[in-house]
Amino acid sequence: DLEELLSISDEFGIMLYGRVNRRNLQDPDDRYALRIEIAHACRSSDDTSRRVKDKLQEIAESGMPHGARSYGYTKDGMKINPDEAVVVREMFGRFGKGETPCAISVSLNARGIPTARGKSWTDAAVRRQLKNSHVAGIRLHKGKEVAVGKWPAIISRPVWDFTQELMNFRSSATL
């Protein structure tokens, strides 16, 4: 971006000023120094990115949760919220018996049961809940299973696996 900015300023005779480090960008020595500072900042950013990615991978492989609160759990994702867990089991049971996510969402909304964020349920929100591996104690990272979660599962792995197969079957049947 810096090189493009310098090219445009040269082409159109635009004088560039900055508040920090007071560089005269018409001076080749100041341009050189700025390019070195930018390269250093980019390297630092790359290092930070690598460290964050490595830490997230480590957290995932240790089976610890990460991200927004999963419905059915406390904010830290480590303990089951009993009232919500009943709803999670109900969703999986009803879907397994043939009900659609839309019918499930209508029923939950009619009973005044909010999502984890306090919103109304939609068929998409129910589908996300049915796809949520957290409720089965599965820790994913970048879409791949990397560990067994350190938190208690609300539903069994076989029920979750069956639901995933059923969702895939139903979605392919509607094509």
Side-chain angles (χ1 to χ4, degrees):
D1 291 345
L2 173 66
E3 293 302 326
E4 186 174 347
L5 177 63
L6 293 175
S7 292
I8 291 169
S9 71
D10 289 345
E11 182 178 343
F12 295 100
I14 299 170
M15 184 65 79
L16 299 171
Y17 296 96
R19 290 183 155 176
V20 181
N21 294 336
R22 305 224 181 209
R23 300 253 183 244
N24 175 358
L25 297 182
Q26 304 308 314
D27 179 357
D29 291 337
D30 278 355
R31 283 183 179 218
Y32 175 74
L34 183 61
R35 286 181 176 117
I36 289 172
E37 289 174 9
I38 298 278
H40 182 2
C42 287
R43 173 64 190 259
S44 179
S45 177
D46 290 346
D47 287 346
T48 300
S49 175
R50 179 189 43 76
R51 283 193 305 273
V52 168
K53 287 176 184 176
D54 288 349
K55 184 64 176 176
L56 291 175
Q57 179 76 31
E58 180 183 321
I59 289 169
E61 289 173 355
S62 74
M64 296 302 291
H66 178 75
R69 177 175 94 81
S70 287
Y71 188 82
Y73 290 88
T74 56
K75 188 174 183 177
D76 66 0
M78 295 297 290
K79 294 180 185 144
I80 292 175
N81 175 321
D83 295 334
E84 291 180 358
V86 169
V87 175
V88 170
R89 290 183 193 103
E90 175 188 338
M91 282 186 211
F92 277 83
R94 291 172 66 180
F95 186 79
K97 291 177 182 172
E99 284 194 56
T100 65
C102 184
I104 295 169
S105 69
V106 167
S107 170
L108 295 175
N109 290 331
R111 291 170 23 214
I113 298 172
T115 66
R117 293 189 176 107
K119 309 260 181 181
S120 296
W121 287 95
T122 63
D123 57 334
V126 171
R127 276 195 297 282
R128 278 192 303 276
Q129 184 62 42
L130 294 171
K131 289 180 182 179
N132 184 357
S133 61
H134 193 95
V135 297
I138 302 166
R139 181 57 162 97
L140 300 179
H141 183 67
K142 295 185 177 184
K144 293 189 166 101
E145 187 173 336
V146 295
V148 173
K150 300 278 187 196
W151 59 88
I154 294 174
I155 60 161
S156 69
R157 177 66 187 255
V159 169
W160 189 82
D161 287 338
F162 172 74
T163 301
Q164 304 320 295
E165 290 178 25
L166 188 56
M167 288 179 74
N168 288 334
F169 174 76
R170 286 186 186 174
S171 67
S172 67
T174 59
L175 294 177

